Amino acid sequence: MLGSLFQKFKDGLRKNTPTFQKFFGKVGGLFAAKLDAATIDELEEALFAADFGVETTEEILGEIRAAYRNNKDLRGQDAAKIGATVLSRVLEGAEGQFSPNPEHHPEVIALIGVNGAGKTTTAAKLAWRLQQEGQKVILGACDTFRAAANAQINTWAERLNVEIVSSQHGADSAAVAYDTLQAAKSRGYNVAILDTAGRLHTKGHLLEELKKLGRVVQKLDTSAPHHRWLVVDGSLGSNSIEQARVFHESFGLTGLVITKLDGTSRGGALVGIYRSLKLPVYFVGLGEKPEDLQPFSTTAYVEALFG
Ligand SMILES: Nc1nc2c(ncn2[C@@H]2O[C@H](COP(=O)(O)OP(=O)(O)O)[C@@H](O)[C@H]2O)c(=O)[nH]1
Ligand SMILES: [Mg+2]
């Protein structure tokens, strides 16, 4: 269930952000206690610690302070309700809904991002999930720059029983993408997930390679890749915003996948990343098992934070 998976996010955040837990943990702390000027200042620290960012923190606090002015009996739990309301409003439009367009043969998803973000594991988990839903999925191992990367995705594919196109270490990654689409077309796969490389000699080089991959797959389908999702390591928090912006400007992203939300103290950063890019979050990574990749749900996320 969604709720129980987001529980991992909730537990990790609360464990690693004790101030946050102090206000919003239902047991003890300030959840049931009346707030005062000093605890509201502490609340501000808690929101910063969870990495909500200045904008969101100020919006939440502004509303809490206004409510406190009208009601000196305001409690931690009332603050939690306000936090939830503000976040739900801020996250309007953040929920990406993926379903392959039947007119695309195949629907192409390119996963991009820096090394270690979680692209390869996300590719595998996503393939598994879509396959469970009855889609015919093929993986393209386009990270040809590291031998280990090729082995990693092939191991996943074998374990999860997913079809894969890969090539030798050092091969042209755009050519692997092309071959993946061609295999999908000829064998009737309706979703192709392209795992790409994260680090080349320079950032400029990486972006050029990605653009080339785009151009090459467009030889087979002018509308591909239909999805260009940036995979972001959620445990790095708002530090990823700048990097995300660079990818967005040069590659025209269409969505986000935020990984490693299990066990992070910076779980609020998803809000900042969404606010600065205004790209829907399609999936979130809540662990290392295939079923730990889940569609993003604003309700489950807000509930995990303030519920
Ligand atoms: N705990 C946790 N670990 C993750 C998650 N997603 C990826 N990882 C781990 O992060 C590391 C890097 O992932 P990988 O897919 O190889 O990243 P890539 O370099 O972008 O392809 C691996 O050890 C993954 O198991 C997640 O949602 N939760
Ligand atoms: Mg990889």
Side-chain angles (χ1 to χ4, degrees), residues 166-180:
S166 57
S167 183
Q168 296 304 310
H169 165 57
D172 179 9
S173 64
V176 177
Y178 185 91
D179 290 348
T180 308

Side-chain angles (χ1 to χ4, degrees), residues 6-294:
F6 271 74
Q7 186 70 34
K8 285 191 204 168
F9 164 63
K10 181 172 181 165
D11 293 345
L13 180 81
R14 302 241 166 140
K15 188 167 127 252
N16 296 310
T17 320
T19 42
F20 200 85
Q21 171 67 9
K22 180 169 158 189
F23 284 94
F24 305 119
K26 287 210 170 102
V27 196
L30 293 174
F31 193 74
K34 286 185 190 175
L35 300 178
D36 58 28
T39 48
I40 291 177
D41 283 347
E42 255 191 278
L43 183 60
E44 180 170 14
E45 282 169 38
L47 295 170
F48 275 118
D51 211 7
F52 281 99
V54 179
E55 218 181 353
T56 306
T57 297
E58 284 181 353
E59 269 177 55
I60 296 174
L61 270 180
E63 299 211 6
I64 290 173
R65 288 210 169 99
Y68 180 68
R69 276 194 295 276
N70 292 327
N71 171 17
K72 293 286 183 279
D73 289 336
L74 200 77
R75 289 164 200 273
Q77 55 198 306
D78 304 313
K81 279 198 197 107
I82 294 170
T85 307
V86 173
L87 265 202
S88 306
R89 190 175 67 217
V90 165
L91 288 173
E92 220 167 285
E95 220 173 83
Q97 306 256 336
F98 175 77
S99 60
N101 182 338
E103 285 171 19
H104 295 155
H105 307 287
E107 179 99 340
V108 183
I109 304 170
L111 296 178
I112 64 191
V114 297
N115 263 356
K119 294 177 298 299
T120 302
T121 37
T122 296
K125 292 171 186 172
L126 182 59
W128 179 82
R129 159 173 278 277
L130 296 174
Q131 210 165 257
Q132 297 286 307
E133 291 170 4
Q135 311 293 342
K136 286 200 73 189
V137 188
I138 190 163
L139 283 166
C142 305
D143 183 355
T144 53
F145 293 89
R146 290 182 305 159
N150 216 9
Q152 183 194 6
I153 192 161
N154 274 286
T155 306
W156 271 103
E158 200 172 311
R159 214 171 89 201
L160 300 176
N161 203 16
V162 178
E163 191 59 40
I164 185 165
V165 170
S166 57
S167 183
Q168 296 304 310
H169 165 57
D172 179 9
S173 64
V176 177
Y178 185 91
D179 290 348
T180 308
L181 258 72
Q182 212 162 38
K185 281 184 185 303
S186 65
R187 299 187 228 151
Y189 289 94
N190 69 322
V191 182
I193 302 172
L194 307 178
D195 178 33
T196 68
R199 178 173 299 142
L200 296 177
H201 316 301
T202 63
K203 200 161 66 186
H205 187 190
L206 169 59
L207 297 171
E208 280 316 308
E209 279 293 323
L210 288 170
K211 285 184 189 161
K212 178 178 167 196
L213 184 146
R215 284 195 306 274
V216 168
V217 299
Q218 278 157 17
K219 290 183 185 165
L220 289 169
D221 179 347
T222 52
S223 63
H226 308 99
H227 302 273
R228 294 176 294 277
W229 294 348
L230 185 71
V231 180
V232 180
D233 178 344
S235 71
L236 298 179
S238 51
N239 296 327
S240 312
I241 293 178
E242 197 41 49
Q243 168 206 105
R245 221 177 255 133
V246 171
F247 276 101
H248 192 30
E249 278 161 16
S250 44
F251 204 59
L253 301 173
T254 64
L256 300 167
V257 175
I258 314 241
T259 61
K260 308 188 201 180
L261 282 185
D262 50 311
T264 176
S265 62
R266 293 163 155 185
L270 183 149
V271 184
I273 297 172
Y274 171 68
R275 284 193 100 154
S276 65
L277 298 170
K278 279 283 181 288
L279 288 168
V281 181
Y282 280 88
F283 291 93
V284 289
L286 295 159
E288 309 213 41
K289 294 195 295 293
E291 62 273 25
D292 291 336
L293 185 79
Q294 288 287 322

